[in-house]
Amino acid sequence: MKAVRTDNPPVIDGRIDDSCWSKANVATDFTDYYMERLAVEQTFVRVLYDDQNIYFAFECLEPDPNSIVGVERKYDQPLHEEDSATVRLDTFHDHRCTYVFGVNTLGTRYDARLGLFDYSDDSTWGCDWTAACKVEKDRWYAEMAIPIANMLFDHKDGVTWGANFYRREKGLLERTYWCYRNSRARYPIEYGHLTNLDLANVKLKRKPSFETYGSATADFEDDSTKLSTGLDISLRLSSELTSAFTINPDFGQVEADPDTIELRDTERFLAERRPFFREGNEIFGTPLKIYYSRRFTDIDAGAKISGQGRNWTLGLLDVQGEIVRDDLPLHGNYHVGRYFRNIGESSHIGGIWANSAREDGTNITGGMDARLFLDSTTSFTAQLLGLRDSEGIETDGIVDHDAYGLSTSFSGGTTPVYWRVGLLDISRGFKPDLGYIPRRNIRGPSSYVRYRQYYDKDPLKSVQALSEIDFYENDNHDTVLRDFMEGAGVGFHNEVELWYIRSDRFHAPYQNYADRIRFEYNEEVDVWDSITASVAKGVYEEEPYHEYSLEKPMKITNLLVTTLEGNYRLKEPETGGQENIWLWRWVTQYNFVWNARIKFTAEQTSEDRHNLTMLFSWPMALNKDFYVLLNDYEVDGEKVRAAFVKMVYRF
């Protein structure tokens, strides 16, 4: 598709009646991802650009506007449960990384990045851009204006970008792509071409951008008040490089992480929400995670450089702050680096390193990784890392100063079969200070296979099956983990979906198993008119149990939504009798017409953990955000009862 330069940019109002749009080329013939045929309700996309923005206009046919699902009004929330339009851009056309910009019919924006090893979008990335939508009697429109300088790009004329356009339509349950060669259309290796981009005169913002905040916290537990302020600075170095600096950054999570009573014997992975880590976060993702930003519990100051060129990608992060090691807070200097070079059309080879210079010692990790594509859907991935720790890593009374980690895998497939086989070898002392390595002293193979097929005739709508196997030994050749998980699901055109999942998991010294049946109704059509329930029976660490769960979202009005979730587990301990373990969560959100929202969260568990939160958030202007938070929760034995007020100002 050829992009068209315009000297008269469109007004972003959700209407495509500006004269400039009549000069744009039109992309259509969208293909339904599920049925792999041309969409019934087609979409038309137009592209314009100038020296500041690239503009996209979606015209989405919809003969029944009442079937449109549009509820979310908060920026950067997932839109996969709503009617939406999405642009995916590979700005270097190197088939590796992607910018994602999406909007629902209310004009709510979502943006993200997709990195080398990502299977899903990383929504921690974000930038300033505008969008507007308009629903009419037989179609709806979406307009976007995305500043080119907010992305990394090739600063010259005659540039071609990789691009794909995606529409999610809830009425007929169509998931459609403009460029569709196979079911991996969301990945940049399968994108179409957006040509005729003359970008040599795009204006880069050379002046630094500032974001400052002021906050006040009143702690009712110890009757104290804390005032805080900090500054973040971002500076564009070139069209391919950007930098960020921070002093006492805003580390307020604003909302506590949702509680859980899941049965697990490893650390829970938590998503990053803090602003300093957003730009370039996807660069540091590798199969073995030696950089997990949630390890930082406090930062005095930090600096970061990240960028991408046609044949290279770079990320550098340096932080003076605090982490927790063996339950002890430790100050120090922490550095993470990532660099890789492109090989051929889609492959790469690179390295990653992390240095922890704590007040009590050092922990250094580094190594190489590569991903080689055999064809557009089949790839081989490998990563080899070494570690040295000055104080040693203690495991079961044994101290290791040197350790290693190895991960390899083959993966591929398109509809209806996806597969992956791999080999993992992680030594006993492989514990990077800044990493997330849930299991150590394991080596062995793993496999994953999934079958998924959709049908357009009654009664069947879909048939799915999956199998996952992991088999690991330790350095004494003792089996420490042997997992078998199989599942099958069937969906019907009356929007009922049934799943049966069987798991047999040996995690030394325990033999665990579970049988689970899950029922879903109307989840794909309208999540706010759906219900999900499951029943499970099994044994976990020699204790039999029965478990029941329920989730019911509801849309009370177009501005007021609520979700009720509950888990109830009945255990039979070895000591006899029965033990009840439960968790319920109620989340209610009201969106004001003036773009503010108030959200109430209530959680309670049988273990006396609770979370009561009321959050008021208001983007007062493009450069101002205001928050008020009331918290009453307990996490890891720590009780928090506090009020929090924060103002963020960007200039």
Side-chain angles (χ1 to χ4, degrees), residues 4 6 10 20-21 23-24 46-50 53-56:
V4 175
T6 181
C20 57
W21 285 122
K23 302 175 183 178
R46 298 165 174 85
V47 183
L48 299 170
Y49 75 99
D50 55 26
N53 300 306
I54 185 165
Y55 306 94
F56 298 93

Side-chain angles (χ1 to χ4, degrees), residues 170-229:
K170 301 296 285 188
L172 295 181
L173 295 181
E174 291 186 319
R175 310 288 186 267
T176 60
Y177 285 94
W178 164 59
C179 182
Y180 188 89
R181 288 187 284 265
N182 57 59
S183 57
R184 298 180 64 84
R186 68 190 307 271
Y187 298 103
I189 196 171
E190 298 294 345
Y191 289 178
H193 296 169
L194 186 61
T195 64
N196 196 45
L197 291 166
D198 293 331
L199 306 180
N201 295 322
V202 170
K203 299 175 177 61
L204 297 177
K205 185 180 179 182
R206 298 290 187 177
K207 294 182 179 180
S209 298
F210 299 88
E211 178 175 312
T212 186
Y213 77 94
S215 66
T217 304
D219 192 325
F220 303 129
E221 284 291 321
D222 57 13
D223 196 24
S224 65
T225 301
K226 178 182 178 182
L227 301 178
S228 182
T229 187

Side-chain angles (χ1 to χ4, degrees), residues 376-395:
S376 66
T377 63
T378 307
S379 65
F380 170 73
T381 299
Q383 184 177 23
L384 177 62
L385 297 163
L387 177 146
R388 170 159 292 184
D389 190 277
S390 62
E391 304 304 302
I393 305 295
E394 182 177 349
T395 309

